[in-house]
Amino acid sequence: MATLIDFHCHVDLYPDPPSIVAECDRLGIRTLAVTTTPKAWPQNRKWTQSSTHVRPALGLHPQVVAEREHEMALFEQYLPEARYVGEVGLDAGPQHYHSFDAQLRVFRRILGLCSSHPGRILSVHSVRATSKLLDAVEDLLCPGSSTLVLHWFSGTKAEARRASDLGCYFSVNRAMLDRKRGDLVQGLPADRLLTETDGPFTMVADRPARPSDITETVSELASILKLPVEKIAGQLESNLRTLVAMGESRS
């Protein structure tokens, strides 16, 4: 099988992050280690600095913006050394809608910074806010400067088309491959797909998912798309190579 990809995993939230990094390197799983706050960046970078397969991402999760908006100063400080950004975005769900104005303020600032520091690849959270998120992208992200990967996309088919037109990619996990969401995944452009676990927040057999579980996601994705596993795995690897190459050419 082609190289496996876990493009959204909270490596720093497992009990033993170095063991997750070592597992990814041993199994050859290309993994994006996202963070929820800028304060986590230095340690996350340290854990992954010698890794051949795991890359750290600088994040400020929308669900913690209410308490941590002040960490934008740290975000700005660390961004020049971060090729990847995540987890960032917007969450208009009932639990977090009270901070939506602050979330939007933070996300717009991040987009502006990424326009000034081209070549960034962003792993982006969008819950009940895809249209507003894409509005901000159109307003603030200079075309060709940085690329968004919409993590666990839950928008509509029309929003998916709009995101695709804006150059976005989509990272897919097992929770998106049930009957309800499978139809949406079928409509996503094959050359913009990546896989993810969102571990440890998703579960496999009553335990937190790990990057090594991505093999099951690839198999289920192949089943939904009615294509051989080897073909889907090869497409995913090609997509990642294209995405990374775009980032390197823009920086």
Side-chain angles (χ1 to χ4, degrees), residues 5 28 134:
I5 299 160
L134 296 177

Side-chain angles (χ1 to χ4, degrees), residues 30 105 158 204 234:
R30 297 285 295 276
R105 185 165 58 242
V204 174

Side-chain angles (χ1 to χ4, degrees), residues 74-224:
L74 280 178
F75 189 99
E76 294 189 34
Q77 175 185 333
Y78 294 140
L79 183 61
E81 61 193 52
R83 171 62 59 84
Y84 297 90
V85 171
E87 180 170 1
V88 297
L90 298 174
D91 192 316
Q95 288 184 299
H96 305 287
Y97 189 73
H98 67 282
S99 65
F100 192 78
D101 288 347
Q103 293 177 40
L104 189 56
R105 185 165 58 242
V106 164
F107 184 62
R108 288 176 64 86
R109 179 59 182 154
I110 288 171
L111 291 176
L113 290 167
C114 289
S115 286
S116 300
H117 295 79
R120 269 49 188 180
I121 298 171
L122 291 74
S123 184
V124 179
H125 175 114
S126 58
V127 172
R128 300 189 181 186
T130 303
S131 289
K132 290 186 177 181
L133 185 144
L134 296 177
D135 287 344
V137 170
E138 287 185 326
D139 287 346
L140 295 161
L141 194 63
C142 294
S145 61
S146 296
T147 304
L148 272 67
V149 180
L150 299 182
H151 138 71
W152 200 331
F153 181 73
S154 59
T156 65
K157 291 181 181 180
E159 289 169 338
R161 288 191 295 271
R162 182 183 176 197
S164 179
D165 289 343
L166 288 171
C168 298
Y169 282 64
F170 305 84
S171 56
V172 176
N173 59 46
R174 291 182 74 183
M176 298 173 64
L177 301 178
D178 59 18
R179 288 184 179 180
K180 183 178 180 181
R181 303 303 298 177
D183 184 51
L184 175 63
V185 173
Q186 285 180 320
L188 298 177
D191 62 350
R192 302 284 183 82
L193 292 177
L194 299 169
T195 45
E196 62 162 72
T197 61
D198 199 19
F201 294 110
T202 56
M203 303 295 289
V204 174
D206 298 322
R207 62 166 174 79
R210 300 167 69 92
S212 56
D213 295 310
I214 209 70
T215 53
E216 297 299 321
T217 306
V218 176
S219 295
E220 291 182 25
L221 180 60
S223 178
I224 281 181

Side-chain angles (χ1 to χ4, degrees), residues 42-72:
Q43 183 63 69
N44 205 40
R45 190 183 188 202
K46 182 178 179 181
W47 279 325
T48 59
Q49 64 185 354
S50 299
S51 174
T52 56
H53 287 80
V54 184
R55 297 292 179 264
L58 171 65
L60 181 50
H61 199 295
Q63 293 179 355
V64 303
V65 161
E67 299 81 23
R68 295 180 178 268
E69 184 177 1
H70 63 278
E71 289 189 34
M72 270 306 299

